[in-house]
Amino acid sequence: MARTVDPPAEPVQRVDPADVVGAHDEERPARRLTGRWELLVWAAAVGIALLVLKQVFWPFATGNQYYLVIFLGLTLPLVFLTYRPTVKRRDPDNPGVLDWVLAGAALLVGLYPVLPFGGNGFAGGYDAFLDRPTLSTPDVIAGALLLVLVLEATRRTTGLMLPIVCLAFLAFAYYGGFLPQNWDLAHAGIDFTQILNALYNEQSGFYGVPLDVAATYIVLFTIYGAVLNASGAGTFFVDFSFALFRRSRTAAGRTAAMSGFLLGTVSGSGTATTVTLGSITWPVLRKAGYPKENAGGLLAASGIGAILSPPTLGAAAFIIAEYLQTSYLTVLVWAIVPTLLYYLGIVFAVEADARRFGAKPVHVPTPGVWPLLKRGGYHFASLAIIVVFLALDIPPFTAVVYATGVAALFALTARALQSGGVTGAVLRTWVRDLADALAEGIRGALPVIAVCAAAGIITSTITKTGLGLELAAALVDAARALASDPAIVLALTVVFAAVAVSVLGLAVPVTASFIISWVVLGPALINLGVAPEETAMFIFYYAVLSEVTPPTALAAVAAAAITGGSVIGTMWQTWKYTLPAFLVPIAFVLTHNGAALLLQRPLGVVLWVTAASAAGVAALAVVTGGWLFGPARWPERALCVPAALLLLYLEPLSVGIGIGFLALAVVVHLVTRSKSTPIEENVHA
């Protein structure tokens, strides 16, 4: 067993992970309810969870939109009860009069389409609501109130930027008719009643694809994650990672990366995963000799990697499946090679850092791998069930319910074995914990539900006005103004799109960023010949990577709060670890062979494209990590820049030239290294 060697004593900053998540996550912190208010919200959340589960096996005969009306009408009030109107926390942190008024209004107008109210001589009820030739006065009032409440719910859960974006789109829909008609962006104009009708009474508004995905996929996966976490999976995954790499001097870094990947199955947020991971692994990284900024960068990169990776991915992955009318398993398959390349880049960076810092082995008192697997290996079973059921063509919402059931039953079995049988006390505790997990799953999904309802405002406006096609054409025209060669036009458009998604992601949550980018930027890439699959995954990766993109880089800021390091320094270290994730998505849209990274080409093409990309990632690691077989000096690092770029432009000629640059960098490194003295090398290290 390796001996622990600690660096000079330094006080470890004590932070509350919940406070860090609340301060730096893209989602605002929820209230910490107490007493009867907590019980009321808990009961409502459990009831909604049971409704969601019921819909999987016994859907409403009146159709899916009927379910979406009820779902939004029941979940929207909970937002006002569980999220504060301001970030400042009160004590006690319970809803006030205004919150109850807004919750009551949300319940009424949310369920209005299924209630027996008509007005203006129209009959009430859901069928009559859908059949109306025009909205009645009560319809307009209810629709206007729901619009305001959705925007307020979005503001409370994610901040002010997304509501502002929604208002900008609404203003364009209303005032677009006043623009000069020779402008490409001008349209006939839409009056307020037509806007409300599109939002409230059509499938492209509040009850469009984003909310449908939230109500039928995302909420079930958040419930699954909550049940898995309640069963002790989170603790097991971290212990397993520690046990797996315990004897290596790079074990601390590898453990952080592996733990982040596994913890992503129980958390849908990259920032939340970063904070959970950091609160556990930062003391180990510190003992191993990691500087604060480098450790923070590794933690942020590992946390974000969790929502870029199968088998769960992020919420936007479900929207990809729905938009492209493909299976969720297919989206998981597309993500396999990019995930491998992402973690390959992290492994290279960890190996380089361990050598540059002189990292030390750290003893962590955990059981061995096999004892851990015997005791808690069942936590992997539910993950495997999701993949197997998806492979058997079972719908993902059904597969995740079965996986949730398996996770719950395994948790009961484990408790029974520890207690010597299924006693009444064990059963009562298990039922209560299961109910708590159901409630936690619903409450965890509330920000996503609000965002998806708000996203319906944007997609409806774009559909009605044709704005998406006009903006896409403007993007391509900007590229063509700079070049005429089709390959260069495509490259410029891809760069413009990457910047646009990244900038948008700085202001709005990942799910909203993907939806907006898909309807605005997607057509531009598709019109230039990029396949819809590659376009969707390109936008998905850049939407997620906005959490580690300066100047906001929420995951990096949260990691810095955990380690106490410099925020700016942590951001740049995060960028170093995640650089392959920024360049690989560009690789699979620039060339025809790039589709092989999504396993969309024959096996032979997939193999050489993956090998070339891996070599490109290795070259990037030399550039950013400053290490090859020893400390890499500026000549080798400079040669690796064109090597990486050419290797990731997946055409045989460019790959061949890139290999030449990489080989030259290796030769220069070996020659200069053989001439350097050990003292010089230690100085560079």
Side-chain angles (χ1 to χ4, degrees):
M1 181 64 66
R3 180 173 171 265
T4 303
V5 182
D6 292 346
E10 180 182 341
V12 178
Q13 186 177 13
R14 299 294 180 183
V15 295
D16 183 348
D19 290 340
V20 176
V21 173
H24 303 294
D25 199 0
E26 64 180 13
E27 297 169 1
R28 295 293 184 88
R31 283 187 168 108
R32 298 181 181 180
L33 303 176
T34 57
R36 62 181 183 274
W37 309 124
E38 168 64 20
L39 182 60
L40 177 64
V41 170
W42 176 88
V46 171
I48 294 171
L50 295 176
L51 172 68
V52 171
L53 295 174
K54 172 260 178 196
Q55 179 68 11
V56 173
F57 299 103
W58 303 282
F60 287 106
T62 44
N64 190 58
Q65 189 169 344
Y66 182 86
Y67 164 65
L68 295 180
V69 170
I70 293 178
F71 179 81
L72 183 61
L74 295 179
T75 53
L76 193 60
L78 288 186
V79 173
F80 298 106
L81 298 181
T82 57
Y83 285 84
R84 312 176 192 104
T86 61
V87 177
K88 186 177 180 180
R89 182 184 171 189
R90 300 180 304 174
D91 192 18
D93 200 14
N94 293 319
V97 175
L98 177 62
D99 302 312
W100 283 105
V101 170
L102 294 177
L107 182 66
L108 178 62
V109 300
L111 296 178
Y112 173 83
V114 301
L115 297 177
F117 302 133
N120 293 10
F122 294 125
Y126 178 68
D127 292 334
F129 181 79
L130 294 181
D131 293 338
R132 284 172 201 161
T134 182
L135 295 182
S136 67
T137 301
D139 296 344
V140 172
I141 295 173
L145 286 173
L146 184 59
L147 172 60
V148 172
L149 291 167
V150 166
L151 292 176
E152 171 61 10
T154 306
R155 186 195 67 80
R156 289 191 179 207
T157 55
T158 63
L160 197 56
M161 281 308 303
L162 183 54
I164 290 175
V165 172
C166 291
L167 289 173
F169 276 92
L170 289 171
F172 174 76
Y174 188 80
Y175 291 107
F178 296 99
L179 296 174
Q181 290 304 300
N182 60 335
W183 288 14
D184 291 336
L185 294 179
H187 59 86
I190 306 174
D191 66 33
F192 189 61
T193 301
Q194 290 174 318
I195 292 173
L196 289 179
N197 186 69
L199 295 177
Y200 206 23
N201 200 17
E202 295 182 9
Q203 294 186 358
S204 63
F206 297 131
Y207 311 113
V209 170
L211 184 66
D212 187 14
V213 171
T216 55
Y217 294 94
I218 296 172
V219 69
L220 289 170
F221 273 83
T222 58
I223 290 173
Y224 166 69
V227 171
L228 200 61
N229 192 49
S231 70
T235 301
F236 167 76
F237 288 152
V238 174
D239 288 345
F240 178 76
S241 300
F242 276 123
L244 198 61
F245 302 117
R246 63 193 308 170
R247 294 182 183 276
S248 168
R249 67 173 176 175
T250 60
R254 293 179 180 180
T255 296
M258 173 67 80
S259 299
F261 171 74
L262 294 174
L263 284 172
T265 60
V266 298
S267 170
S269 166
T271 303
T273 302
T274 297
V275 173
T276 302
L277 179 65
S279 64
I280 299 170
T281 61
W282 161 234
V284 179
L285 291 170
R286 178 177 172 273
K287 288 182 178 180
Y290 272 76
K292 296 175 181 179
E293 289 75 17
N294 293 75
L298 175 58
L299 293 172
S302 301
I304 292 300
I307 57 175
L308 288 171
S309 310
T312 51
L313 293 177
F318 300 101
I319 298 177
I320 292 175
E322 195 68 21
Y323 276 153
L324 298 182
Q325 291 297 291
T326 190
S327 69
Y328 180 62
L329 178 62
T330 301
V331 179
L332 295 185
V333 170
W334 293 342
I336 289 174
V337 174
T339 297
L340 293 176
L341 294 174
Y342 180 80
Y343 280 98
L344 181 65
I346 290 182
V347 168
F348 284 149
V350 165
E351 295 294 327
D353 282 352
R355 286 159 176 77
R356 287 198 303 121
F357 304 146
K360 312 167 189 67
V362 178
H363 169 55
V364 179
T366 58
V369 172
W370 290 113
L372 270 175
L373 286 175
K374 290 178 183 178
R375 190 179 70 194
Y378 63 86
H379 291 297
F380 290 117
S382 61
L383 296 173
I385 284 173
I386 293 178
V387 177
V388 170
F389 281 11
L390 290 175
L392 294 175
D393 206 24
I394 295 175
F397 44 83
T398 305
V400 74
V401 171
Y402 288 143
T404 303
V406 168
L409 289 176
F410 271 129
L412 175 61
T413 303
R415 294 184 184 190
L417 291 175
Q418 292 173 0
S419 303
V422 183
T423 63
V426 168
L427 194 58
R428 285 192 298 271
T429 303
W430 176 76
V431 170
R432 179 55 191 262
D433 289 347
L434 181 59
D436 287 344
L438 292 176
E440 186 62 31
I442 294 296
R443 293 172 71 166
L446 291 177
V448 179
I449 294 168
V451 165
C452 287
I457 299 171
I458 297 169
T459 56
S460 177
T461 302
I462 290 174
T463 301
K464 288 292 183 182
T465 62
L467 178 62
L469 296 177
E470 295 297 339
L471 292 177
L475 188 70
V476 176
D477 289 342
R480 286 176 175 156
L482 300 175
S484 57
D485 183 86
I488 299 177
V489 169
L490 174 60
L492 289 172
T493 304
V494 167
V495 171
F496 292 161
V499 172
V501 178
S502 299
V503 171
L504 180 63
L506 300 179
V508 301
V510 169
T511 305
S513 177
F514 172 81
I515 294 169
I516 298 170
S517 300
W518 171 255
V519 297
V520 173
L521 303 175
L525 297 176
I526 293 172
N527 290 339
L528 290 176
V530 181
E533 298 89 346
E534 299 154 31
T535 300
M537 294 300 286
F538 167 81
I539 293 173
F540 167 70
Y541 278 102
Y542 270 91
V544 172
L545 289 169
S546 65
E547 289 202 25
V548 291
T549 302
T552 54
L554 297 176
V557 174
I562 291 289
T563 65
S566 161
V567 172
I568 299 300
T570 302
M571 285 184 184
W572 287 114
Q573 290 299 322
T574 302
W575 183 80
K576 176 189 77 174
Y577 281 103
T578 58
L579 183 58
F582 283 92
L583 295 185
V584 168
I586 293 178
F588 56 66
V589 297
L590 277 185
T591 65
H592 182 71
N593 291 323
L597 293 175
L598 304 182
L599 301 180
Q600 297 290 294
R601 292 290 181 269
L603 179 60
V605 179
V606 169
L607 291 176
W608 80 257
V609 163
T610 303
S613 300
V617 169
L620 284 173
V622 175
V623 175
T624 60
W627 193 275
L628 193 48
F629 300 108
R633 294 161 177 79
W634 71 262
E636 305 101 281
R637 297 173 79 171
L639 287 168
C640 283
V641 172
L645 296 178
L646 289 166
L647 284 165
L648 290 173
Y649 189 81
L650 299 169
E651 292 292 343
L653 178 60
S654 62
V655 168
I657 298 173
I659 291 173
F661 271 103
L662 184 58
L664 182 59
V666 172
V667 170
V668 170
H669 175 73
L670 293 176
V671 171
T672 56
R673 185 174 182 232
S674 66
K675 293 180 179 179
S676 65
T677 64
I679 295 176
E680 289 174 327
E681 197 157 290
N682 287 334
V683 169
H684 282 283

